[in-house]
Amino acid sequence: MRTQGSLLRFVWYIALVIIVILALAPLIWMISTSLKPETQITTTEIRWIPETITLENFQAVLDHHAMLRWTMNSLIVAVTATALVLVLDSLAGYALARMHFLGRDLLFLLILSMLFVPIQITVVPLFLLFSKMGLTDSHVALIWPVGATVTGVFLMRQFFLSVPTELEDAARVDGANDLRIWWSVVLPLARPALTAVAIITFLSTWNSFFWPLIVTRSDAVRTLPVGIAQFMSLRPGMAQAAQAYGQSMAGAVIAALPPVIVFFVLQRHFIEGISMTGLKG
């Protein structure tokens, strides 16, 4: 019986190793391609390790494209949107979990139903709205639509349902109002949930492509995913049919670094936050 259990565990570990290799293969290929000269990329032979390692693709991307400007725009949008989501979603989650008012549960269901609305449906009215206000091609147009998320409201509400009510009762005895209780009592306990919401928001905003593609027109506002897509098909000095695979992969490596760093720094809190939100309520 013990031997059978060990054998199953061994098979399970082998399966996990295979899954990890398959998951990492595109990432390794991207890094490998970014370090190859273009002549080694456009061959039918598969080489995971470059014959000649070069940084010319990274140099070309930084020299010929506004990579630093795009990166800064993505950072501004992702960080500002994350901060807004943490404040607004935690306020909404606290109200839906702790405050009693007419139609609370119906409002929560209405918010959840927004998960079923595709972004393509909202793009046209959003664009017309920002166009009427003269805010297209601006950071406001990139941040405003993602300043609050349904996922964040749901996670924060689920976490606040697990907080003991005795803590709030003690604060009310001391004269604290709801806003003070949210800020001084409940919010410090919600660090794991806030971290999970922050990571989800930062990654989704950083990788957002469709809406920034629609609403931006200049490099002064354009974000990194849209900027990388701009030079995916062209390389300076070559025909339009020639694709710059090396530069595209170099841009993708640069674009992947910030979210990877954020995730690895906060991954412990992320897992803890997801597990603590639970399914209560």
Side-chain angles (χ1 to χ4, degrees), residues 24-38 40-42 47-48 50 54-62 65 67 224-225 227-235 243-258:
L24 290 179
L27 183 63
I28 296 172
W29 183 255
M30 178 183 72
I31 297 174
S32 172
T33 304
S34 70
L35 297 174
K36 294 176 183 175
E38 200 68 33
Q40 294 182 24
I41 297 173
T42 54
R47 289 184 180 275
W48 288 92
T54 177
L55 297 177
E56 66 180 17
N57 294 318
F58 292 91
Q59 187 67 45
V61 167
L62 295 175
H65 305 282
M67 181 64 69
L224 196 51
I228 291 175
Q230 180 179 279
F231 66 82
M232 281 289 288
S233 60
L234 296 176
R235 180 169 52 180
Q243 291 187 332
Y245 292 111
Q247 294 181 30
S248 301
M249 292 300 104
V253 170
I254 296 174
L257 283 178

Side-chain angles (χ1 to χ4, degrees), residues 58-75:
F58 292 91
Q59 187 67 45
V61 167
L62 295 175
D63 287 345
H64 299 296
H65 305 282
M67 181 64 69
L68 296 180
R69 180 70 258 179
W70 299 337
T71 304
M72 185 57 65
N73 289 334
S74 289
L75 279 175

Side-chain angles (χ1 to χ4, degrees), residues 64-130:
H64 299 296
H65 305 282
M67 181 64 69
L68 296 180
R69 180 70 258 179
W70 299 337
T71 304
M72 185 57 65
N73 289 334
S74 289
L75 279 175
I76 292 173
V77 173
V79 171
T80 308
T82 301
L84 276 176
V85 165
L86 291 180
V87 173
L88 297 179
D89 286 7
S90 60
L91 277 171
Y94 179 70
L96 292 170
R98 292 304 201 192
M99 300 178 71
H100 299 281
F101 53 88
L102 182 63
R104 184 189 67 171
D105 295 336
L106 181 61
L107 178 61
F108 179 60
L109 292 176
L110 184 63
I111 292 174
L112 286 184
S113 68
M114 294 173 66
L115 286 172
F116 301 99
V117 179
I119 185 175
Q120 288 80 5
I121 294 178
T122 64
V123 162
V124 173
L126 271 178
F127 182 81
L128 293 176
L129 174 65
F130 285 108

Side-chain angles (χ1 to χ4, degrees), residues 77-278:
V77 173
V79 171
T80 308
T82 301
L84 276 176
V85 165
L86 291 180
V87 173
L88 297 179
D89 286 7
S90 60
L91 277 171
Y94 179 70
L96 292 170
R98 292 304 201 192
M99 300 178 71
H100 299 281
F101 53 88
L102 182 63
R104 184 189 67 171
D105 295 336
L106 181 61
L107 178 61
F108 179 60
L109 292 176
L110 184 63
I111 292 174
L112 286 184
S113 68
M114 294 173 66
L115 286 172
F116 301 99
V117 179
I119 185 175
Q120 288 80 5
I121 294 178
T122 64
V123 162
V124 173
L126 271 178
F127 182 81
L128 293 176
L129 174 65
F130 285 108
S131 180
K132 291 284 185 184
M133 295 190 295
L135 292 176
T136 55
D137 200 32
S138 68
H139 289 106
V140 176
L142 294 170
I143 295 169
W144 195 344
V146 293
T149 64
V150 177
T151 304
V153 172
F154 173 76
L155 291 176
M156 296 309 301
R157 175 187 179 271
Q158 299 306 108
F159 179 84
F160 288 140
L161 285 174
S162 65
V163 176
T165 57
E166 290 78 6
L167 295 175
E168 298 173 69
D169 295 337
R172 285 195 174 86
V173 170
D174 292 336
N177 56 24
D178 288 324
L179 191 59
R180 183 62 183 273
I181 293 172
W182 166 78
W183 176 256
S184 301
V185 178
V186 179
L187 210 54
L189 299 174
R191 187 177 301 172
L194 290 171
T195 303
V197 174
I199 291 178
I200 293 172
T201 305
F202 185 89
L203 294 181
S204 63
T205 308
W206 182 273
N207 294 322
S208 178
F209 177 78
F210 188 59
W211 173 244
L213 177 66
I214 299 294
V215 80
T216 59
R217 296 188 303 273
S218 65
D219 284 338
V221 180
R222 189 171 285 127
T223 57
L224 196 51
V226 180
I228 291 175
Q230 180 179 279
F231 66 82
M232 281 289 288
S233 60
L234 296 176
R235 180 169 52 180
M238 296 193 69
Q240 292 191 356
Q243 291 187 332
Y245 292 111
Q247 294 181 30
S248 301
M249 292 300 104
V253 170
I254 296 174
L257 283 178
V260 169
I261 293 173
V262 169
F263 180 77
F264 277 106
V265 170
L266 300 176
Q267 64 170 331
R268 183 173 64 85
H269 300 289
F270 175 74
I271 296 171
E272 184 182 1
I274 291 294
S275 62
M276 290 184 69
T277 52

